[in-house]
Amino acid sequence: MAQSDDTDKKQASAASVRPPKRAERPKRGRKPGRKAAPRPKNEAPQGDDAKLRPSAAIVPPQAVAGRALTLVVAIMSFLACLTVGAVSVVWDAADAWQNDLVREITIQIRPAEGVDMLREIDKAVALAQEFPGIDSVRALSDAETKSLLEPWLGEGLQLDGLPVPRLIQITVGDPELLNLSQLRSMVSQNVTGASVDDHSVWTSRLSAMAGAVVLGGFAIMVLVLGSMVLSVVFATQAAMAGNKDVVSVLHFVGAEDGFIAREFQRHFLMLGLKGGVSGGVAAILAFLTVDMLTRQSSGQAGSDQMSALFGGISVSLPGYLGVFGVVFLVAILTALTSGLAVKAHLAKVD
């Protein structure tokens, strides 16, 4: 009994000496209104953050080479659009000249001894009025004939002492109804010293000149666009060299050549659009400025000569449509050229 009492006392004393049980630590949680600590810069995103992170472009969108290429493309587009506008102005002027010459015929009566000039003029006017397709027939007066000869022979000209031919101006309403060969034969048979001039020589020369201007304009445009293509090729090679490691890794891990080429095409397509639109807008502003200056300087000698040659120096609707076509062509050429250059480079890597 005494032994058991001693045992109980030892257990009680041990229980009193034992340290109390540690209380459970509460779970840490984010306090309301407290922001999460920012992730270190070198730490890679995990979970949903990795899925939402946008993929970086292979070609840097903003680079010194890209800005320089945009400026080059804009200059080339501006020159090409100016060429299109100049060709449009010359073509419209040549077309207007041809229409005027086709609708005008001249009867020339040379003076001869013993021939009454006034009577021959009346006979030619009456004969021309009988043909269908002719709107009006008018003989030029002595004052009008003098004004035509004054630039070459000077003022104070006396027609009585000179063998000056007289001219009859014929305005054609419908060239298809007029039988020109019959008119020429009838006038030469019935009017002494008369001949018919249909201005066919001038019309053919104008057509040849307009065709030469158009061909020259296309040649200039081909040279400008060719220079732009070479610039795009060099810029693509520079971009490939600057991103050589990225392209090589993508290529060796199995990325298709078409994928890499499309990345470069997308990049250079945007550059081509920016440069082409800038050059096209600058060309349109130049066209409007020239048109405004021409109208303001009307009445001056130089402006009148230019107006007599080309009419109103203004670009017509086909010219502006050609500007939009040049902008579209520039963008497509930059994209295609960059894609072909990338594929050629990757083929060499293989």
Side-chain angles (χ1 to χ4, degrees), residues 21-27:
K21 188 176 181 181
R22 182 179 296 178
E24 293 183 359
R25 184 177 297 174
K27 295 182 180 181

Side-chain angles (χ1 to χ4, degrees), residues 5 14 77 97 133 161 168 202 244 283 285 293 303 307 313 326 335 340:
D5 291 338
S77 302
W97 293 341
I168 299 175
W202 291 102
K244 182 179 180 181
L285 292 177
L293 292 177
S303 178
S307 299
I313 304 178
V326 167
L340 293 176

